[in-house]
Amino acid sequence: MKKETKQFFWPSYVDVMTALFIIMLLLFILSFKSLQDEKENLVVRLEEKKYLEKIEESIKNLPQEYYVYQEQYKRHTLRRQPRFGRGIAEISSEEDIKYLIDAGKSLLELISKLKEKDTLGVTYLVILEGMASKDATPDDENYKLSYRRALALYNLWIKNNLNFNTDYLELIFAGSGTGGIGRDESKEVNGVIDDSDNQKILIQIIPKLGKVK
């Protein structure tokens, strides 16, 4: 009886060890594949990061006739701002209108050229940020005013057939009122504090990775 038990035990033990070996082998293969996939994903992410950095460098090269790049804030400002009066959001000067239309065209041309060379399905987000000067106007009114200034530039571009809303480009506008970072310092003119340099519009261009072609 004992002999039969031993004969039954050893084949079963071998079967168990064989099954465990197969399981360990499968786990090793899965782990190796997972590490390989992670390595490949890391390489892809690094390539995408370098690609976006290259695009960001190109964006900095908008025509200096129209734009000034502010490195510390990663954004552009118009070299010549619309001459907004106090409490005014409309763009009425013919010189300002021509200048801003040309500035919009140069922005579109740059993004179009970048898109022609695109291999990773990059899309672009353009943000127009209106600002207001600190004066006696209540803050909530200045927020609305700064928003309307950005909207005025957007409407000017759209009116002149500058299409900033495509399958790879989106434009949004916002107002930061008398807040926001990187405001110009107020000046004293004839004993009066002048903050009119902050009656302006800022532009941010953000490249984003879309679907890989």
Side-chain angles (χ1 to χ4, degrees):
M1 187 73 178
K2 290 183 179 179
K3 185 177 181 180
E4 291 178 358
T5 303
K6 289 182 178 179
Q7 289 176 346
F8 175 78
F9 172 77
W10 285 109
S12 298
Y13 177 78
V14 171
D15 290 344
V16 170
M17 294 302 295
T18 302
L20 288 175
F21 174 77
I22 293 173
I23 292 172
M24 291 297 295
L25 181 61
L26 289 173
L27 289 174
F28 173 78
I29 293 172
L30 290 173
S31 298
F32 180 78
K33 186 177 186 306
S34 177
L35 288 173
Q36 286 296 105
D37 290 343
E38 186 175 342
K39 182 179 178 181
E40 290 176 3
N41 289 336
L42 179 60
V43 171
V44 170
R45 287 196 296 269
L46 288 173
E47 289 178 351
E48 290 176 345
K49 183 175 182 293
K50 290 179 180 179
Y51 188 77
L52 285 179
E53 288 174 348
K54 184 177 179 180
I55 289 176
E56 289 170 354
E57 284 298 316
S58 298
I59 289 173
K60 291 180 184 179
N61 296 324
L62 277 168
Q64 296 183 5
E65 179 183 359
Y66 304 109
Y67 298 97
V68 176
Y69 184 72
Q70 298 177 318
E71 180 70 43
Q72 66 273 40
Y73 305 120
K74 307 299 181 185
R75 69 188 183 193
H76 290 84
T77 182
L78 291 165
R79 180 167 292 280
R80 195 185 85 191
Q81 291 290 337
R83 285 163 285 186
F84 295 117
R86 178 176 172 180
I88 301 298
E90 290 74 22
I91 303 172
S92 56
S93 166
E94 290 299 325
E95 290 183 5
D96 285 348
I97 290 173
K98 183 180 184 309
Y99 176 83
L100 293 171
I101 291 173
D102 290 341
K105 287 179 180 178
S106 68
L107 176 55
L108 273 180
E109 286 173 1
L110 175 65
I111 294 178
S112 296
K113 288 179 181 178
L114 291 174
K115 191 61 185 175
E116 288 174 1
K117 301 176 182 178
D118 179 31
T119 58
L120 293 181
V122 174
T123 59
Y124 296 86
L125 176 64
V126 176
I127 303 174
L128 299 183
E129 178 187 347
M131 300 180 72
S133 58
K134 295 179 180 178
D135 51 30
T137 306
D139 285 345
D140 60 339
E141 291 299 320
N142 270 325
Y143 273 112
K144 295 175 185 176
L145 176 63
S146 61
Y147 172 84
R148 293 202 309 272
R149 285 173 175 163
L151 177 60
L153 177 54
Y154 172 79
N155 286 335
L156 176 65
W157 282 347
I158 295 300
K159 181 180 177 181
N160 287 274
N161 301 316
L162 301 181
N163 186 11
F164 280 88
N165 290 293
T166 68
D167 58 348
Y168 63 86
L169 174 60
E170 179 184 6
L171 185 148
I172 62 175
F173 40 89
S176 56
T178 56
I181 62 172
R183 291 177 62 87
D184 293 331
E185 292 185 6
S186 301
K187 300 176 293 187
E188 185 175 333
V189 180
N190 298 324
V192 178
I193 300 300
D194 180 11
D195 193 47
S196 60
D197 286 346
N198 287 301
Q199 297 173 2
K200 62 183 180 181
I201 296 173
L202 303 174
I203 299 174
Q204 296 186 51
I205 307 166
I206 305 171
K208 304 182 297 179
L209 280 176
K211 295 181 179 180
V212 178
K213 293 183 177 180

